[in-house]
Amino acid sequence: MNKKTISLKNILKKYNLLIISINIAFIIIALLFTILITNNNIKKLALNNIINSSNYILDNFDNSFSGYENSFNFSLKTAIISLKKQLNKTNNFSKKNIEKQLNKINKELDVKKNFYVSTLNYYIINPKGKIYITNYPKDLNLNIFNFKSLNMLRDLKTSDILIGKINFEVSSKRFRKFIYTKLNNGDILELGVFLDNSFIENLKSSFSNLKKNNDFITDISFYDSLGQDLFYNKNNLSNKFINKLNKKNIIINKIGFNKYEMYLSWESAYKKNVISSKYYYKINVSLASLNNKNYIIIFILIIFTIVYITIAFFINKTTYKKIAEPFSELTKSMKLFSKDRILNSQDISSNNNIEEFNFLIETYKNMADEITAGFEELAAMNDTLKESYDIVEETNEKMEQLLSVSSSLIEKAVNKDTDFLSFILHTALKLIPEADYGTVYLIKDGFVHYIDAVGHNKKLLNKIHIDQKYFQYGNSSIEIVENILDQDVSFFPKDLFEKIKLASKPIKTTLAYKFKVNDEIVGGMSIDISKNSIKHFSPSSTNIVKAIGSFSTAFFAIIKYINQKEVFRKDIVFSMINLLEIHETYMKGHSQQVADLSLKIAAKMGLDEKTLDEIYWASLVHDIGKIIIPSEILNKKSKLTDEEFEIIKKHTNYAYQVLNKSEFLGNIAKIVLHHHERIDGTGYPEGLHGNNIPLASKIIAVADAWDAMTHERSYKPALSKDKAITEIINNKNRQFDSDIADILIKIIKEKEKI
């Protein structure tokens, strides 16, 4: 069956046509996308410009209005003071007298051209809140205390003057402002001012000018905080829509092709005495004029496409002549060669040179031979690389295990020696494939003490009491010993050797590592291969034991250093406590007793080792600041004066200043600083309360109070345990944390049972 083929000439023609079509489609899509993006950007710019212009108008209105109201407030305040003075003087509350005074006030207000005042009303209100004299009959006999916002007037004093903000009165569709003061007879005097809508008309005019100067705006509406239309009194905003607008600040609804309704909220910067702290406005926008620009861009796109097609066809024709025709001739020659397998001169076109074809064929054959030889060489190299890869993988796996073990060793190093040594033994047995058994031990009081054993009997080994001198063999830290139990027969006493052999599994080879600190053996680890095993320790296994052993040796060196620092720290602290006990006679043993009790409470609460340690040391030094307090105050038998108590209270700050500078005790300074704080916030030095007080400070506070109550002091005898418990209970959630106080009481009662 003949396979259907296609000539290079036709491929190039089809390929060029395809490329041209794809390019044209891509250009059209790109340009349409550009039009869309550009159109959207223009729309966004137009809408943003409208919003910014509107906000600018509102900001100007807000600034001018704030100045207007400040001036108006001053005049209105002057007017009510004048009226109040006249009424208090004459005690004449007749309408004629009041309105006579109001005429004077109206004249004063009318002088100010920008005040927009249309009407001035007065109200005389009795102490129960009832309006009984007014020139606004609608409000006669109205009780103002029925309005929650006016209940504050019950406490109005004769010296007070309260000016309310401008409000929109829904019933009259007008703006009002009120001012209040109290007369000498106990009545409340209120002036109410009706303002005309001139300032709203000015705002409306500004928005009208914006509409005229912007081709896109078709309509603008303006609303107050209640949704009332302040321009046209047409459609008000619903509460539901206002709540929605408060969350988003701007809502844009599309109401037709390139037509939008924009709802926006605007918050006044002048919030003290304004109509409303928030306004809403709606702007109708039509962007139909943008379509003309789109038509121009589409026309340019059509012209560009025609020019591109013309150029593409010209390039296609040129490409065919330069590439397709020579390849077509070459294909004819190759077909003749493939058919006859022999090149004859008559088979070759006169337009071609036979040497070129021979060179091409020979080059191809040579290349094929080289590629074949290369593949054979690569196959051999691949086998070698596979072996190397397996070795590297095995090494990497052990390295990963060692890294993981190192991390775990660091975590274990903070725990007890026994936990740490047991962990490193099991780790070594896990990492060393040849290992069957193992032991790890410490040297204590001149004897070998086995910490853990795998395979061997740890209990029997520890009962033997092996002298450390039998483990001093060899000078190296690590050794491989063959048949160690057979060698030891001449080294150990016979009865001792038999006991060791009885407690041990039969051993073929031992990999032993001795832990040394300053050339002193402090312990060791043995990894054993069973007697019947055919395995041997590899160099990598020896290196693993070296790595784990080196880490363990470092651990012992660090532990020794830490222990030395701990002893030094204890000596410093107890010296300070002894000095305090000499300074304050009744403090003998107090610090240690508080420390012991605090530690028991903290342990009952399940706190971690680090926190327990901090609480213990903080308890020991909690009163160290008293060294600076004069001894005559500390040992005073009578009641302290307020001044003396204030001096004593400073001891927490003194302690903090001393401890915060100490290398060993700086981390507990804040605990000591706050151990006299109270749960209800009445303690010292900072008056902290509740959970703001450090937990450790709350624990010490309870333990300190208990010890102070149950021991004699210079100013009081010791309380019985029952009375002290009652004091603790009575002061729960006031002086003491309730949970900690309960734990203390539980500890005391458990101790009594014992």
Side-chain angles (χ1 to χ4, degrees), residues 115 146 159 282 290 332 369 440 492 561 572 584 735:
F115 283 173
N146 290 336
S159 58
K282 180 183 76 172
L290 292 176
K332 289 178 182 178
D369 291 341
V440 64
F492 285 99
Y561 172 72
I572 290 173
E584 187 176 2
Q735 182 177 356

Side-chain angles (χ1 to χ4, degrees), residues 510-549:
T510 298
L511 183 55
Y513 191 95
K514 288 172 276 190
F515 307 139
K516 292 182 179 181
V517 177
N518 298 331
D519 293 328
E520 178 188 353
I521 298 174
V522 296
M525 178 175 66
S526 297
I527 306 298
D528 305 317
I529 297 176
S530 172
K531 189 77 172 177
N532 300 323
S533 177
I534 60 171
K535 294 180 285 187
H536 299 276
F537 287 117
S538 66
S540 65
S541 295
T542 305
N543 289 334
I544 288 170
V545 171
K546 278 183 181 179
I548 295 174

Side-chain angles (χ1 to χ4, degrees), residues 100-315:
K100 179 182 177 182
Q101 299 301 321
L102 284 180
N103 288 332
K104 293 180 181 179
I105 294 170
N106 269 320
K107 287 180 182 180
E108 176 67 23
L109 294 177
D110 288 339
V111 172
K112 308 295 184 180
K113 294 180 180 179
N114 296 322
F115 283 173
Y116 311 115
V117 176
S118 61
T119 307
L120 187 61
N121 301 116
Y122 66 88
Y123 305 84
I124 304 296
I125 306 160
N126 67 24
K128 293 184 178 180
K130 186 177 180 180
I131 299 172
Y132 69 93
I133 300 175
T134 180
N135 64 345
Y136 191 60
K138 185 180 176 182
D139 289 343
L140 189 62
N141 295 322
L142 183 71
N143 193 314
I144 65 169
F145 293 154
N146 290 336
F147 298 94
K148 191 175 182 180
S149 60
L150 296 178
N151 268 312
M152 59 188 290
L153 296 177
R154 292 177 186 272
D155 300 323
L156 195 65
K157 298 175 183 177
T158 55
S159 58
D160 293 340
I161 293 177
L162 295 182
I163 304 177
K165 69 178 183 179
I166 293 178
N167 289 298
F168 183 74
E169 190 174 74
V170 178
S171 60
S172 63
K173 301 290 185 181
R174 297 165 74 189
F175 294 96
R176 298 193 74 185
K177 185 175 183 67
F178 299 94
I179 184 166
Y180 306 88
T181 189
K182 194 168 188 178
L183 300 173
N184 289 344
N185 67 351
D187 289 346
I188 297 172
L189 171 62
E190 174 188 351
L191 291 183
V193 182
F194 272 110
L195 307 177
D196 62 29
N197 292 343
S198 301
F199 58 92
I200 291 296
E201 290 301 321
N202 288 343
L203 180 62
K204 182 178 177 181
S205 175
S206 298
F207 272 119
S208 296
N209 290 333
L210 175 63
K211 178 182 174 183
K212 288 177 184 178
N213 296 326
N214 193 305
D215 296 334
F216 299 134
I217 299 176
T218 60
D219 192 23
I220 300 176
S221 299
F222 192 69
Y223 308 90
D224 69 359
S225 61
L226 299 175
Q228 301 288 327
D229 189 338
L230 301 180
F231 282 177
Y232 308 109
N233 294 324
K234 293 179 181 178
N235 298 321
N236 298 330
L237 297 179
S238 67
N239 288 335
K240 185 177 180 181
F241 191 80
I242 289 173
N243 291 335
K244 186 178 179 182
L245 189 55
N246 284 337
K247 291 179 181 177
K248 294 188 176 181
N249 289 327
I250 180 168
I251 297 173
I252 301 177
N253 294 330
K254 190 171 183 179
I255 57 175
F257 182 68
N258 276 344
K259 291 183 179 180
Y260 302 90
E261 273 185 351
M262 293 195 301
Y263 292 89
L264 303 101
S265 66
W266 175 79
E267 190 165 359
S268 170
Y270 181 66
K271 296 181 180 178
K272 185 177 179 184
N273 290 306
V274 294
I275 302 169
S276 166
S277 62
K278 205 156 192 178
Y279 299 93
Y280 308 99
Y281 57 102
K282 180 183 76 172
I283 302 177
N284 286 50
V285 178
S286 175
L287 302 176
S289 59
L290 292 176
N291 293 336
N292 296 331
K293 296 179 181 178
N294 292 341
Y295 297 145
I296 295 171
I297 295 172
I298 292 170
F299 176 75
I300 294 170
L301 173 62
I302 293 169
I303 298 298
F304 177 81
T305 304
I306 293 170
V307 172
Y308 180 81
I309 291 171
T310 304
I311 294 170
F313 273 109
F314 176 76
I315 293 171

